[in-house]
Amino acid sequence: MIIFTHHTGEPHGILGAQLAATFFQQKLSIPSIVIGIERNFLKERLFHFIDEYYSEKERLIAFTHLCGRKDLIELIREVREQGYKTLLGGPQTRQDYEGEPEADRYSYRFKGLRSSVDLAFQGPVDGFRSDHLKIQNRLFEFPWIKERYLEVDWGNLYTFSDTLKKHDVQVAQVLHSIGCPYSGRTQTVVLPPPVDLKERVPELSVQSQGCIFCDVSKDKGFHGLVEKDRVIAQIKRLPESDGKKIPFELIDEYPLGSLGRLIETVGDHRIRLSQINLVCRVDDINRHASELSEIVLKAKSLDVKIMFASIGFESFSDRLLRYFCKGIRFEEVVKCVEILRRLKEQFGDYLLYRRDEGANHGFIRPTPWDDGETMQEVDRNIFLYRFFEDILPEHSTPLIIHHASYLGDWIRAIESKIGILFGREGTWIEWWNPSSKRRG
């Protein structure tokens, strides 16, 4: 079976998809590979490859991690029309399979993937059984459990642009936390309308759990930490380069409370690491500021680098941080950056966080609320605190509204109250594309 997924072509693995392929192969005896589809792929050549690959095999194709790409959504429909049974799993499966609320009543809303997907499964792959493949037009939901299957064959990843290429995974992932603890924080925020509609649309109260743009909080929530022995087992299975495990991202939005103990345990097991990449929140860094020197010192003693690969700053405006429900103020962003700069002076190449060291921090722009005041505030703060030297990414990320995020609720509230409609593109809602023409 082929599992198709989004891929950028960069040398990273895809934990969820590769874990699922390993499960299918080892537990269900279904030979499986993962193919990451790059943007602007040649569809005719891809179909030629598919037909050859499935010669005299069961015509079964799975999809995961679509990243809102319309071309992948269309690919699901097209392979189904060619006689393949289609499966959907991974992030946002339930929401993408079922579509937006009341989509039958409102024709412009995303209808979901029911008409293109034969079988969908929400949650970890552990609950999947071969008998499920005999079922049509069904969504299965499996509970998130800490004891989940975590074996990964890191050699089963390929990419496709114009031809199939074996992918050399140089950065892997290790699951440490199932979901994000911050997703349990319920907040109500009053959001103004998009700037271009401020004369026509009132402010609206919106409830959010975690960051308001996050589709993962609705999809998964938080289900606790993975036991230490199972984390170590994942690390032991990572590929090696020059006698050390390849760099890996520790999947945990709040890793610092247990990172020091994890590094010690790795040392006790005589596992040689090269680099641990962290994707975390500002408040986690600030909360553990007094412990960070000791943590990096432990890592340095084992010749391990710590990289803050992506920190969720998202904005340098208090107003936008409040709209995003980030739970931090700009002064905390400044404190976080000052901590990182001090650590850099102390530890040099053993502490990485800069853009020119490979980090790519969160900075969301444009947003629906960018007016002269917020634009000047953000630009002024970037200049005053020299974020352009080390923090600012090469390119900002436009605010993306997945239909199942809490911002999706905000957009639908505007549509139902005022009659202004917004465009849909795949699984995204185009907040920048309003129309005053009502559609049924």
Side-chain angles (χ1 to χ4, degrees):
M1 177 170 62
I2 293 175
I3 301 177
F4 282 127
T5 183
H6 160 76
H7 204 286
T8 62
E10 296 175 357
H12 61 80
I14 304 180
L15 175 63
Q18 292 186 260
L19 185 149
T22 308
F23 178 87
F24 287 138
Q25 182 130 348
Q26 293 187 358
K27 297 297 183 180
L28 304 182
S29 298
I30 302 173
S32 301
I33 62 171
V34 180
I35 298 180
I37 304 295
E38 299 182 43
R39 296 186 185 275
N40 301 316
F41 70 98
L42 298 182
K43 188 177 296 185
E44 184 177 338
R45 292 191 181 183
L46 179 64
F47 271 100
H48 178 72
F49 162 75
I50 293 173
D51 289 340
E52 285 191 341
Y53 180 87
Y54 278 96
S55 177
E56 300 182 359
K57 295 188 181 108
E58 184 180 4
R59 296 165 71 85
L60 179 68
I61 294 182
F63 290 82
T64 186
H65 192 55
L66 304 177
C67 287
R69 283 176 51 179
K70 188 176 180 180
D71 57 348
L72 292 184
I73 292 173
E74 291 176 349
L75 184 62
I76 301 175
R77 176 184 57 79
E78 290 169 344
V79 299
R80 190 169 187 262
E81 290 175 349
Q82 294 293 322
Y84 290 89
K85 183 169 185 176
T86 54
L87 280 67
L88 179 67
Q92 292 83 50
T93 292
R94 182 200 312 108
Q95 295 92 331
D96 288 348
Y97 179 76
E98 295 180 343
E100 290 187 69
E102 299 185 280
D104 292 339
R105 180 180 175 189
Y106 300 102
S107 61
Y108 53 88
R109 292 186 180 179
F110 174 58
K111 301 298 182 185
L113 302 177
R114 290 174 180 267
S115 61
S116 300
V117 171
D118 293 301
L119 184 65
F121 49 101
Q122 169 80 17
V125 72
D126 305 57
F128 198 87
R129 298 294 179 265
S130 297
D131 287 346
H132 290 137
L133 297 175
K134 302 174 185 177
I135 300 171
Q136 292 277 118
N137 305 317
R138 221 20 222 286
L139 167 68
F140 287 95
E141 297 196 50
F142 307 136
W144 288 98
I145 54 175
K146 290 193 288 185
E147 296 75 22
R148 61 171 295 186
Y149 180 86
L150 289 173
E151 296 182 21
V152 181
D153 174 6
W154 290 104
N156 65 356
L157 179 60
Y158 300 78
T159 57
F160 195 99
S161 179
D162 55 357
T163 187
L164 188 74
K165 297 177 182 177
K166 188 78 167 63
H167 196 65
D168 181 21
V169 174
Q170 298 176 25
V171 180
Q173 299 90 33
V174 168
L175 184 67
H176 192 247
S177 174
I178 304 175
C180 175
Y182 187 69
S183 67
R185 179 172 173 179
T186 301
Q187 306 168 71
T188 299
V189 61
V190 177
L191 293 181
V195 170
D196 292 343
L197 300 175
K198 64 182 180 179
E199 303 299 330
R200 304 172 61 188
V201 180
E203 293 184 336
L204 294 171
S205 293
V206 181
Q207 188 177 80
S208 174
Q209 288 185 291
C211 301
I212 200 166
F213 51 79
C214 181
D215 49 331
V216 176
S217 64
K218 270 192 176 184
D219 175 64
K220 184 181 296 183
F222 177 63
H223 299 275
L225 298 178
V226 176
E227 292 83 353
K228 187 185 297 183
D229 61 336
R230 307 191 78 236
V231 175
I232 295 298
Q234 293 178 73
I235 295 173
K236 285 182 176 179
R237 285 192 289 265
L238 293 175
E240 293 189 358
S241 177
D242 297 327
K244 290 186 174 185
K245 299 297 182 182
I246 63 172
F248 65 88
E249 175 193 334
L250 190 67
I251 299 179
D252 187 346
E253 299 286 336
Y254 286 91
L256 298 181
S258 55
L259 181 60
R261 293 190 297 275
L262 178 61
I263 292 171
E264 286 181 351
T265 305
V266 167
D268 292 341
H269 283 79
R270 301 187 182 281
I271 304 170
R272 298 187 65 202
L273 303 183
S274 54
Q275 181 172 302
I276 301 174
N277 293 350
L278 305 177
V279 177
C280 60
R281 288 175 46 87
V282 166
D283 52 324
D284 193 38
I285 295 172
N286 291 350
R287 186 181 304 151
H288 295 94
S290 61
E291 307 159 40
L292 276 171
S293 290
E294 183 181 349
I295 291 172
V296 182
L297 191 61
K298 287 178 183 177
K300 182 179 179 180
S301 70
L302 297 172
D303 196 27
V304 178
K305 295 180 180 181
I306 302 296
M307 170 181 268
F308 287 89
S310 182
I311 302 169
F313 296 115
E314 315 308 2
S315 183
F316 308 115
S317 158
D318 272 330
R319 180 149 64 102
L320 292 180
L321 287 170
R322 186 173 70 253
Y323 294 163
F324 292 160
C325 296
K326 287 297 299 181
I328 57 172
R329 294 180 57 81
F330 176 66
E331 63 185 21
E332 295 171 77
V333 171
V334 174
K335 178 183 177 181
C336 176
V337 174
E338 290 175 345
I339 291 169
L340 295 174
R341 287 171 173 170
R342 287 197 300 270
L343 287 169
K344 185 66 180 175
E345 291 179 358
Q346 182 179 358
F347 292 103
D349 289 343
Y350 283 93
L351 188 285
L352 310 175
Y353 79 92
R354 296 174 54 93
R355 177 185 62 249
D356 56 12
E357 295 170 330
N360 185 29
H361 301 302
F363 175 41
I364 299 175
R365 179 188 266 187
T367 81
W369 311 288
D370 292 338
D371 55 21
E373 180 182 342
T374 58
M375 295 285 281
Q376 289 178 17
E377 179 188 8
V378 169
D379 291 341
R380 180 175 63 251
N381 286 333
I382 288 173
F383 176 76
L384 287 175
Y385 294 97
R386 309 188 326 278
F387 294 154
F388 55 83
E389 294 180 1
D390 53 358
I391 294 298
L392 209 65
E394 293 287 349
H395 304 284
S396 62
T397 301
L399 181 66
I400 292 170
I401 299 182
H402 184 272
H403 70 88
S405 70
Y406 293 97
L407 280 177
D409 297 336
W410 171 64
I411 287 287
R412 285 185 288 271
I414 294 176
E415 290 177 326
S416 62
K417 288 179 180 295
I418 311 301
I420 293 173
L421 309 180
F422 294 84
R424 267 61 172 178
E425 176 73 15
T427 59
W428 296 352
I429 303 178
E430 299 175 324
W431 55 264
W432 60 88
N433 184 19
S435 170
S436 60
K437 181 179 179 181
R438 175 174 290 280
R439 288 168 286 179

